[in-house]
Amino acid sequence: MTSDSHSVLLVTKDTKISSLVSVMLLPPQFELTVCADFNEARRKCDERNFNIVIADFAEGEGTDFAIDISDSLSTILLLAPAEHFDQISFKVEGYGILTLTSPFDQFYFYNMIKVAIAVQYKVQVLSSKAIQLKQKMEEIRLVNRAKMLLMQGKNMTEQEAHRHIEKEAMDTGSKKTAVAEIIIKTLS
């Protein structure tokens, strides 16, 4: 995350919570969106990715919402009533959801926001690496398929097919994947 601003979605029907969080998460460091309806919040999460999503328990509706969006890249904080904290925390921790008691101490809440920011940085780094690995695997798959077609169609050895693809890429100033795609189209 290169930006110093963090997008935050707060989902709560409790005006005390929304007022308190609004005072703590101020621009320009935070871009806060407050939503009182969980269905509307689901739509907002479908439309864009928030760095941090804070959901109030709201008689279990917040727990269901947090679990529903847990596949997103957002760091999710669930505000749970103190009397049910252990049970709720146990239920959601397998989804990567952080829980904190509600009502909350402002200092504790701010520290949890700092934890959520740190987690968000790590999620984005890992997500970027996963995308790079996927691209690399796709490149390898394409080149290997092209080599196999050259070996079958042109009676080349694997080394000859590999050299052919590399030489063609160098001669044309193309990437090996572009050469592999042409070979696959021609020999398939």
Side-chain angles (χ1 to χ4, degrees), residues 11-168:
V11 190
T12 183
K13 297 174 183 178
D14 187 334
T15 55
K16 285 183 191 175
I17 292 174
S18 61
S19 296
L20 187 59
V21 172
S22 295
V23 168
M24 294 178 71
L25 304 182
L26 297 171
Q29 188 176 5
F30 297 98
E31 174 200 328
L32 180 65
T33 303
V34 180
C35 195
D37 179 73
F38 286 95
N39 290 325
E40 181 185 345
R42 279 182 181 84
R43 283 190 296 278
K44 287 184 183 293
C45 287
D46 286 341
E47 291 170 5
R48 70 173 282 203
N49 186 40
F50 291 92
N51 299 127
I52 300 169
V53 175
I54 305 167
D56 192 9
F57 176 69
E59 289 96 39
E61 197 175 0
T63 304
D64 294 338
F65 166 75
I67 290 171
D68 287 349
I69 65 162
S70 65
D71 285 343
S72 72
L73 294 177
S74 302
T75 301
I76 304 167
L77 295 173
L78 179 62
L79 304 175
E83 63 271 12
H84 301 296
F85 180 81
D86 289 335
Q87 178 186 4
I88 294 167
S89 181
F90 180 77
K91 180 179 180 180
V92 300
E93 66 188 15
Y95 295 95
I97 298 168
L98 304 170
T99 52
L100 63 140
T101 56
S102 179
F104 51 82
D105 173 81
Q106 289 180 347
F107 180 75
Y108 178 66
F109 177 79
Y110 187 74
N111 282 332
M112 285 301 289
I113 291 295
K114 290 299 203 182
V115 168
I117 290 169
V119 168
Q120 188 55 216
Y121 280 117
K122 190 58 103 174
V123 164
Q124 288 190 351
V125 166
L126 292 174
S127 175
S128 174
K129 287 182 180 180
I131 290 169
Q132 289 172 350
L133 284 173
K134 247 182 176 174
Q135 290 171 337
K136 187 67 176 170
M137 288 179 67
E138 179 62 20
E139 290 172 11
I140 290 169
R141 188 189 67 74
L142 275 171
V143 171
N144 283 342
R145 174 154 172 158
K147 285 194 304 189
M148 184 183 68
L149 289 171
L150 286 171
M151 289 164 52
Q152 291 172 347
K154 303 278 186 176
N155 292 323
M156 293 182 177
T157 66
E158 184 180 2
Q159 289 175 336
E160 291 171 335
H162 185 77
R163 262 188 261 124
H164 175 77
I165 293 170
E166 282 186 334
K167 183 175 180 345
E168 194 67 31

